[in-house]
């Protein structure tokens, strides 16, 4: 068992902050992403009777205020086509999305959030804003803004791959 002074950054196997010092950029981004996603999911699930996974949130983010086709969602979410269909079925069963036929296309279907889906999505956006504020209280708003600016830059990653 570790004491509080050893500065754990999470639970369920996440590493101590002292171990972050030896990580490269890719692993640091991954660790922090995993931590804040897990925290956001837990905050939502602790406050709501309607459990929604991070993958489901990711899909909901792509369809919020839109009516994309399922194939468009599949191309823009880094989840397998089969899994997206499963998540959409789950979201539909929870009353968060509705799936409709596309006019003049018998194969394609479109998806949109229901009123409940939009309400949940907007509440979750507020919870994430509160989490961001707590991070800002710890590391400072200036640092949060700098981090956001860096992450929004065009890193030209496609050139790096070649």
């Amino acid at each position: 068992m570790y004491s509080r002074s050893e500065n754990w950054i999470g639970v369920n196997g996440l590493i101590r902050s002292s171990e972050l010092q030896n990580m490269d950029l890719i692993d640091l981004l991954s660790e922090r992403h995993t931590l804040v996603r897990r925290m956001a999911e837990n905050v939502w699930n602790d406050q709501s009777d309607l459990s929604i996974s991070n993958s489901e949130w990711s899909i909901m983010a792509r369809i919020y205020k839109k009516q994309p086709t399922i194939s468009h969602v599949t191309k823009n979410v880094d989840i397998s086509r089969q899994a997206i269909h499963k998540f959409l079925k789950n979201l539909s069963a929870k009353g968060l999305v509705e799936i409709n036929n596309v006019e003049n296309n018998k194969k394609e279907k479109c998806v949109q959030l229901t009123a409940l889906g939009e309400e949940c999505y907007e509440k979750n956006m507020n919870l994430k804003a509160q989490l961001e504020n707590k991070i800002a209280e710890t590391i400072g708003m200036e640092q949060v803004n700098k981090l956001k600016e860096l992450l929004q830059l065009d890193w030209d990653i496609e050139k790096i791959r070649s």
Side-chain angles (χ1 to χ4, degrees):
M1 191 65 138
Y2 291 93
S3 69
R4 211 176 232 309
S5 64
E6 289 184 273
N7 198 12
W8 277 87
I9 60 170
V11 294
N12 299 329
L14 288 177
I15 63 171
R16 292 184 305 227
S17 61
S18 62
E19 294 177 37
L20 294 173
Q21 305 308 311
N22 299 321
M23 289 188 168
D24 60 30
L25 175 65
I26 308 305
D27 291 339
L28 283 169
L29 286 170
S30 179
E31 285 295 327
R32 292 301 189 180
H33 175 258
T34 300
L35 173 66
V36 295
R37 277 285 167 204
R38 185 174 293 148
M39 289 175 68
E41 182 178 7
N42 289 341
V43 167
W44 171 266
N45 290 333
D46 288 347
Q47 295 184 13
S48 175
D49 294 334
L50 198 56
S51 180
I52 302 174
S53 71
N54 280 322
S55 296
E56 291 170 328
W57 284 121
S58 182
I59 292 168
M60 290 173 70
R62 297 302 191 283
I63 61 178
Y64 179 68
K65 299 289 186 188
K66 300 175 190 149
Q67 284 187 296
T69 61
I70 292 176
S71 63
H72 182 271
V73 173
T74 301
K75 291 173 189 167
N76 291 288
V77 177
D78 193 24
I79 302 172
S80 73
R81 185 181 64 80
Q82 185 177 10
I84 286 175
H85 282 276
K86 177 184 158 199
F87 287 127
L88 286 173
K89 186 176 179 182
N90 290 342
L91 289 167
S92 180
K94 294 175 188 179
L96 299 172
V97 302
E98 55 185 36
I99 301 168
N100 300 306
N101 293 325
V102 173
E103 282 187 45
N104 302 320
N105 188 335
K106 292 182 181 179
K107 290 184 181 180
E108 196 68 73
K109 299 205 180 281
C110 65
V111 61
Q112 71 181 47
L113 294 179
T114 62
L116 175 61
E118 286 198 10
E119 180 184 334
C120 289
Y121 185 80
E122 290 165 359
K123 283 181 183 177
N124 192 52
M125 286 174 43
N126 289 331
L127 291 174
K128 291 190 303 182
Q130 291 173 18
L131 177 55
E132 182 177 319
N133 288 336
K134 288 184 185 220
I135 292 169
E137 288 174 13
T138 302
I139 68 172
M141 186 53 93
E142 185 177 330
Q143 297 291 64
V144 168
N145 289 334
K146 281 183 186 177
L147 179 59
K148 287 167 84 172
E149 287 174 23
L150 289 170
L151 293 171
Q152 291 168 351
L153 288 174
D154 180 0
W155 292 7
D156 224 359
I157 290 180
E158 286 75 26
K159 286 184 182 178
I160 296 170
R161 284 197 294 175
S162 46

